């Protein structure tokens, strides 16, 4: 190919479109190390969803208020947010494989203790904080490892990661609801079992020669903060923090108002997770190519805000709330893929560092939301948490528009004509 032809080809294909359609390999043609991380990620995110259907049961059995039970998410997300800042430092010294395995070991231990020795809400809250540490090590490293080891480009690697997230989140609640119908402790023991399985998968199928990516230049604890000096990365992180307030209002508070038993809640969040998985893999790339990343994000966020508004107006109608929760899965699946793809190329920093900085901001919002939602309901009424959540999601859209000039470089759209 001539130099002129190469230039034309480069101009004709925007970066995001190029990665989506012209990666070196197809989405499902990946090295064995990538598939090891993929299956381990499914089990890790199954662990997150396993606990969700038993939140009302935990409140009943441990004589706790909804706001106290939502601290299970607040402690988990708060520790995860700050732990994200050390993931890059650890992975640059231990390598991807051993950082992932360390995270899995921590989750297995604390979840096992949760199902074994926890007999009051505060012990459980403390154990969930440890769970957040383990999950931070796993989640941030898994994303960076899949992106670095994939042979099909960043965009397809992220889609594969989001597919694992969606599969884990969709199957987890169903299993958690089934186990939770036996005992509220059973899902915690189920998580411990899944983590043992994940440990075996990674230790056997993830060769150290391919995954121990210890770099010559060690990552500093200050690198994520330095990365936030890039306005593009800071903007996306704040946007994620704001819309995660709406996200975790659904995850942590909605189970209390649907009036369903653990198995029923498991089926609702199964539908939620299935739509999240399908849209993150198949719909988000289409939106990205047709409208561009930023416009697609704005559309999904506005629709999500409207969904929360509907939940806030018809809170006492359980059928409406159940339908809205399931529909929200589709909107969040799209947005998760769009914003994660954007973060990976938002700033000229290492992807693991970008992921740590973004995740720190993202999970700050996730930590605030659960307790705030339940407390608002206790102080006012059950409608307010969803209305406030909708307000924060709208605020995330306004923040995008206000900072558009800093993130427009990632808004590569395929012409609609």
């Amino acid at each position: 190919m001539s130099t002129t032809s190469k230039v034309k080809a480069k101009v004709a294909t925007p970066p995001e479109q190029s990665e989506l359609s012209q990666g070196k390999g197809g989405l499902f043609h990946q090295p064995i190390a990538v598939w090891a991380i993929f299956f381990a990620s499914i089990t890790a995110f199954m662990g997150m969803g396993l606990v969700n259907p038993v939140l009302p049961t935990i409140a009943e059995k441990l004589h706790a208020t909804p706001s106290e039970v939502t601290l299970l998410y607040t402690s988990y997300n708060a520790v995860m947010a700050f732990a994200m800042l050390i993931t890059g430092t650890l992975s640059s010294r231990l390598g991807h494989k051993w950082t992932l395995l360390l995270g899995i070991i921590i989750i297995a231990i604390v979840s096992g203790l949760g199902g074994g020795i926890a007999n009051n809400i505060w012990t459980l809250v403390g154990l969930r904080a440890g769970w957040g540490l383990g999950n931070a090590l796993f989640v941030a490293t898994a994303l960076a490892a899949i992106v670095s080891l994939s042979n099909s480009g960043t965009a397809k690697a992220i889609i594969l990661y989001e597919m694992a997230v969606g599969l884990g989140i969709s199957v987890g609640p169903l299993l958690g609801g089934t186990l939770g119908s036996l005992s509220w402790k059973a899902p915690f023991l189920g998580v411990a079992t899944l983590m043992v399985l994940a440990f075996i998968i990674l230790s056997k199928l993830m060769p150290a020669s391919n995954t121990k990516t210890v770099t010559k230049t060690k990552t500093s604890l200050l690198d994520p903060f330095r990365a936030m000096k890039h306005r593009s990365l800071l903007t996306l992180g704040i946007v994620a923090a704001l819309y995660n307030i709406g996200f975790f209002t659904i995850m942590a508070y909605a189970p209390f108002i649907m009036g369903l038993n653990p198995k029923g809640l498991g089926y609702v969040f199964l539908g939620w997770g299935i739509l999240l998985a399908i849209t993150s893999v198949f719909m988000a790339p289409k939106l990205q190519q047709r409208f561009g990343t930023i416009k697609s994000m704005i559309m999904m966020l506005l629709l999500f805000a409207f969904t929360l508004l509907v939940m806030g107006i018809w809170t006492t109608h359980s059928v409406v709330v159940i339908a809205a929760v399931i529909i929200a899965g589709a909107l969040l699946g799209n947005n998760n893929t769009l914003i994660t793809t954007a973060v990976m190329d938002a700033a000229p920093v290492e992807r693991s560092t970008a992921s740590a900085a973004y995740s720190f901001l993202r999970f700050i919002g996730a930590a605030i939301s659960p307790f705030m939602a339940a407390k608002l309901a206790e102080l006012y009424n059950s409608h307010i948490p969803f209305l406030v959540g909708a307000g924060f999601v709208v605020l995330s859209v306004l923040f995008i528009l206000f900072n558009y000039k800093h993130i427009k470089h990632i808004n590569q759209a395929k012409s609609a004509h």
Side-chain angles (χ1 to χ4, degrees), residues 205-217:
L205 298 181
M206 193 173 179
S209 59
N210 289 338
T211 59
K212 192 175 180 181
T213 53
V214 181
T215 57
K216 293 181 180 179
T217 304

Side-chain angles (χ1 to χ4, degrees), residues 4 27 77 103 137 174 177 182 200 257 325 335 345 362 369:
T4 304
L27 178 63
N77 287 321
L137 295 175
L174 181 60
L182 304 174
I200 294 172
I257 63 167
V325 168
N335 199 65
D345 296 315
R362 171 189 180 188
S369 175

Side-chain angles (χ1 to χ4, degrees), residues 168-189:
I169 288 178
S170 61
V171 176
L174 181 60
L175 183 58
T178 302
L179 294 174
S181 64
L182 304 174
S183 167
W184 70 264
K185 290 189 174 185
F188 288 88
L189 297 175

